[in-house]
Amino acid sequence: MSKKYAFLFPGQGAQAPGMVKDIAESFAAAKKVIDDISSITGLDMAKLLWESTPEDLARSDNSQIAITAASLATMAALKEKGIEPSSAMGFSLGEFPALYAAGVLSFEDVIKVVRQRGIIMQKVCEEIAARNEGHAPGMTAVLGLTPDQVKALVEPIEDAYAANMNSLKQTVVSGTFDALAEVEKKAAEAGARRAVRLKVAGPFHSPLMQDAAVEFEKFLADITFNDPKINLFSNVTGGKVIDGDQAKKAAVLHLTHPVLWTDEEACLADVIKAGDEWSVLEVGPGKVLSGLWGQTEFGATLAAVPVNTAEGVSAL
């Protein structure tokens, strides 16, 4: 029985200066990915990935293309070793590398789409900040309360929305600066273990991003979305992606709808239970998704492995 692999791709917040530098130096296929993305975007990706300040890298127009480059470079290094996915899903931004991994988007198209998505979202986030006396919108992770508790907590707070269903004990809220301050106060009063402001540039996966969704839909009009060639799971539905048309519609809804990550994890677990030998790999910077997978019932018996260094790739 041959081993199968499920790839999990991280989203914004996973970025860090210097990410995947050792992978690009150790695997020719990874270095080629970085160079090809530079050619497509006109950006110096090596400089962006390895010489940016944390503040510059946190901007949506920088972080989205940088994290995607890091994830695709890592995937190329894995392919160089003969490791390819049979299932793929990505958290928030990570859904776009997953679309590429599943054959839904071509390499050139996924780079163009992610680059434009980041530019559009950064612009809308700056517009929201301008309307709020320069205070940037963002996201806060509430730890220690159930998703239903968080939803009830934010419902009366204007411009605050439960956005990412990370686990049974962690829900991320999107909102304006003032709304998030109120959420953090209410969460403490409700007994939350912590409320942590995230390193992201905007109130993603909420109605506050509607202007971005409208503009992004126009950009996607001429982009071809193919049917997935492997199991692919959707943040928007929490289930399997059926075809390219559904994937394209979800790419737009993605900006304003919550990330149903716990539902996706359950769907992946059902696929894994089918009897094959599986490994779950977090492909790209960080290890957040491995931690969330470990909080699931199934993750207790099959751990997810973060793959974000040359040593990690070589160890597989």
Side-chain angles (χ1 to χ4, degrees):
M1 184 185 299
S2 61
K3 177 175 281 192
K4 292 185 176 181
Y5 294 90
F7 284 10
L8 314 181
F9 295 98
Q12 279 182 259
Q15 71 275 355
M19 56 186 172
V20 303
K21 189 173 190 290
D22 62 334
I23 293 177
E25 291 172 344
S26 302
F27 294 89
K31 176 65 164 58
K32 185 177 187 304
V33 165
I34 302 299
D35 291 343
D36 288 348
I37 295 174
S38 296
S39 296
I40 293 168
T41 62
L43 299 171
D44 184 339
M45 289 306 304
K47 184 175 182 180
L48 178 61
L49 284 164
W50 306 325
E51 298 179 24
S52 294
T53 65
E55 293 74 22
D56 284 342
L57 206 53
R59 290 175 54 93
S60 285
D61 49 0
N62 290 331
S63 64
Q64 292 200 23
I65 192 63
I67 293 167
T68 299
S71 293
L72 296 187
T74 305
M75 186 165 67
L78 289 169
K79 185 175 181 179
E80 194 173 302
K81 284 192 50 119
I83 297 173
E84 298 190 66
S86 295
S87 292
M89 60 193 212
F91 190 96
S92 187
L93 164 71
E95 189 149 296
F96 289 87
L99 288 169
Y100 168 69
V104 175
L105 289 174
S106 69
F107 181 83
E108 185 167 349
D109 280 347
V110 77
I111 298 309
K112 289 179 178 178
V113 165
V114 168
R115 177 62 177 148
Q116 193 62 28
R117 184 178 185 268
I119 290 171
I120 291 170
M121 291 172 68
Q122 181 65 34
K123 181 183 74 170
V124 169
C125 291
E126 290 174 358
E127 289 170 354
I128 295 171
R131 294 196 297 268
N132 289 271
E133 299 179 348
H135 296 308
M139 304 178 83
T140 290
V142 179
L143 286 67
L145 299 180
T146 67
D148 285 343
Q149 286 176 304
V150 175
K151 290 175 186 176
L153 185 149
V154 303
E155 185 177 8
I157 301 175
E158 186 177 3
D159 291 334
Y161 304 89
N164 297 349
M165 309 302 124
N166 288 6
S167 74
L168 296 179
K169 296 181 179 179
Q170 184 184 132
T171 302
V172 175
V173 177
S174 285
T176 61
F177 182 89
D178 289 341
L180 291 180
E182 182 70 9
V183 167
E184 289 156 6
K185 175 185 173 185
K186 295 294 185 184
E189 293 171 354
R193 185 161 59 85
R194 278 197 303 162
V196 183
R197 196 74 62 102
L198 302 182
K199 297 185 296 179
V200 297
F204 308 140
H205 307 292
S206 79
L208 293 171
M209 298 303 296
Q210 181 58 37
D211 288 349
V214 171
E215 190 170 346
F216 191 49
E217 184 174 25
K218 293 176 183 175
F219 178 78
L220 290 182
D222 296 326
I223 302 292
T224 298
F225 281 64
N226 303 301
D227 295 343
K229 297 177 181 177
I230 61 173
N231 295 318
L232 176 67
F233 304 96
S234 166
N235 288 181
V236 172
T237 68
K240 275 190 182 182
V241 176
I242 305 302
D243 54 33
D245 287 341
Q246 184 195 35
K248 190 169 190 174
K249 291 174 183 175
V252 177
L253 293 173
H254 199 238
L255 292 175
T256 57
H257 284 59
V259 172
L260 304 181
W261 191 248
T262 52
D263 291 346
E264 286 182 76
E265 289 177 317
C267 287
L268 176 57
D270 285 342
V271 169
I272 291 174
K273 289 173 187 174
D276 294 299
E277 184 183 357
W278 284 82
S279 285
V280 180
L281 307 179
E282 182 173 0
V283 180
K287 55 184 179 180
V288 169
L289 302 185
S290 298
L292 294 180
W293 177 259
Q295 294 177 32
T296 67
E297 181 181 351
F298 196 72
T301 58
L302 177 64
V305 178
V307 184
N308 51 37
T309 64
E311 182 180 2
V313 175
S314 299
L316 294 171

